[in-house]
Amino acid sequence: MPELSNINVVKEILGRHGFKFSKSLGQNFIVNPDLCPRIAEESGVGPGICALEIGPGIGVLTKELALRAEKVLSIEIDKALLPVLKETLGEFDNVTILNADVLELDLKAVIKEHFGDMPFVVCANLPYYITSPIIMKLLEENIGAENLTVMVQKEAAVRIAAKPGTRDCGAISAAINYYSEPEKLFDVSKGNFVPPPNVTSAVIRLVLRKEPPVKVEDEGRFFRVIKASFSQRRKTLTNSLSSGLGKGKEEILAALEQCGLGPNARAEELSLEDFAALTKILG
Ligand code: SAM
């Protein structure tokens, strides 16, 4: 089995297949032999547990998942990588590569088809240009994963792992904390990839909640209020909510007061309970 984390091996295989890296598909492949085993271990995958991967690239993380998991389903958008993966993962009979755009897939259906009722994790070095849409799709579609253990840009990791009520919290942090308990695991510097990305990366783990932390009658309205709250960071919460929800300032101020929040409250100071209470009144 070729050493897929060795930069010379990667170049030789890709060169032989005439493969050219695509910047627009976020193709930065891992070339550190210790990194993929560590990410796979952090995902908790093992016998009786399956793994869903997004973007296998040359298969360096896929291989580590295949060595540990019951089954691996890996979704790759780039057709040019299919013959490469056939070669690099040829020895594994528990790996399926699906050529598709993850954002277009009916994930629940393909997961059911490949994993049946077996427990599974999501483990991936995500394409950075669509980190948030992928994570939100995985969370919102309620696919039933145990956790998402993924590599993202460090900046995105800080935002994703921020707790509501803290300075780094944004609309995405609030949504992520509603669906999961996020945790930043470790940073990964640029030199661990070929070609190196422009930014430092980080591995995060989102453990899916069995029950949401707050009771919300209408999730659509709840997320509308959260989005509106964070929509204009330089404006006050009152102004952001007023323009985002199309309601008068008086109504917003009264709602804030009813929730025990002052007129100068800032979105990043609010807890999920505060957003739920505001949604009840304003949604
Ligand atoms: N897992 C490999 C590694 O760590 O070396 C490659 C990771 S690379 C950061 C991202 C991978 O996602 C690439 O293989 C890229 O072609 C693939 N990709 C990009 N957009 C995608 C999409 N919409 N759906 C599925 N795969 C995608």
Side-chain angles (χ1 to χ4, degrees), residues 25-30 55-57 60 76-77 101-102 125 127 129-130:
L25 288 178
Q27 291 177 339
N28 304 98
F29 296 175
I30 295 172
V60 64
E76 175 56 60
I77 197 172
D101 178 346
V102 68
N125 171 16
Y129 74 107
I130 42 170

Side-chain angles (χ1 to χ4, degrees), residues 25-30 36 53-62 75-78 81 100-103 125-130 134 151 193:
L25 288 178
Q27 291 177 339
N28 304 98
F29 296 175
I30 295 172
C36 290
E53 185 190 23
I54 294 143
I58 195 172
V60 64
L61 176 59
T62 327
I75 301 161
E76 175 56 60
I77 197 172
D78 190 349
L81 284 167
D101 178 346
V102 68
L103 294 178
N125 171 16
L126 290 179
Y128 295 168
Y129 74 107
I130 42 170
I134 293 178
M151 180 131 65
F193 304 88

Side-chain angles (χ1 to χ4, degrees), residues 34 61 127 171 259:
D34 302 323
L61 176 59
C259 297

Side-chain angles (χ1 to χ4, degrees), residues 7-237:
I7 191 161
N8 296 321
V9 173
V10 171
K11 283 185 173 161
E12 188 278 319
I13 296 174
L14 294 180
R16 197 154 31 73
H17 286 272
F19 177 81
K20 298 260 179 306
F21 285 98
S22 159
K23 221 177 176 181
S24 63
L25 288 178
Q27 291 177 339
N28 304 98
F29 296 175
I30 295 172
V31 284
N32 171 338
D34 302 323
L35 195 50
C36 290
R38 188 170 172 198
I39 299 172
E41 286 294 318
E42 290 286 5
S43 78
V45 77
I49 304 175
C50 300
L52 172 68
E53 185 190 23
I54 294 143
I58 195 172
V60 64
L61 176 59
T62 327
K63 175 191 148 194
E64 296 303 328
L65 294 171
L67 288 169
R68 293 164 174 81
E70 198 66 36
K71 284 180 173 186
V72 181
L73 172 62
S74 197
I75 301 161
E76 175 56 60
I77 197 172
D78 190 349
K79 267 200 175 70
L81 284 167
L82 301 185
V84 176
L85 289 162
K86 208 167 176 192
E87 176 184 332
T88 58
L89 300 172
E91 71 183 73
F92 293 103
D93 58 9
N94 61 343
V95 176
T96 305
I97 306 289
L98 193 60
N99 179 215
D101 178 346
V102 68
L103 294 178
E104 300 293 325
L105 264 189
D106 179 347
L107 278 176
K108 255 191 169 165
V110 290
I111 287 164
K112 183 87 188 156
E113 187 190 333
H114 287 85
F115 299 158
D117 291 324
M118 280 191 280
F120 71 98
V121 300
V122 176
C123 188
N125 171 16
L126 290 179
Y128 295 168
Y129 74 107
I130 42 170
T131 298
S132 299
I134 293 178
I135 291 182
M136 288 318 296
K137 180 179 165 91
L138 294 168
L139 294 175
E140 284 171 359
E141 292 188 3
N142 195 14
I143 58 169
E146 305 280 314
N147 73 66
L148 320 180
T149 303
V150 291
M151 180 131 65
V152 300
Q153 284 187 12
K154 186 178 174 183
E155 217 174 80
V158 170
R159 194 43 50 121
I160 286 167
K163 301 272 177 272
T166 65
R167 199 191 49 161
D168 290 320
C169 182
I172 188 153
S173 340
I176 281 172
N177 276 273
Y178 177 75
Y179 289 113
S180 70
E181 290 184 73
E183 184 188 1
K184 181 167 165 263
L185 299 178
F186 54 90
D187 289 344
V188 180
S189 63
K190 301 172 195 182
N192 289 283
F193 304 88
V194 61
N198 296 325
V199 290
T200 303
S201 304
V203 176
I204 55 172
R205 184 171 50 218
L206 312 184
V207 178
L208 278 288
R209 295 183 190 274
K210 303 280 178 241
E211 293 289 332
V214 285
K215 222 173 152 247
V216 171
E217 268 162 36
D218 182 336
E219 287 181 355
R221 283 167 54 189
F222 177 63
F223 291 123
R224 253 198 317 280
V225 169
I226 290 177
K227 255 189 206 143
S229 301
F230 287 101
S231 59
Q232 291 157 304
R233 281 198 158 244
R234 280 199 206 96
K235 288 197 179 172
T236 62
L237 178 60

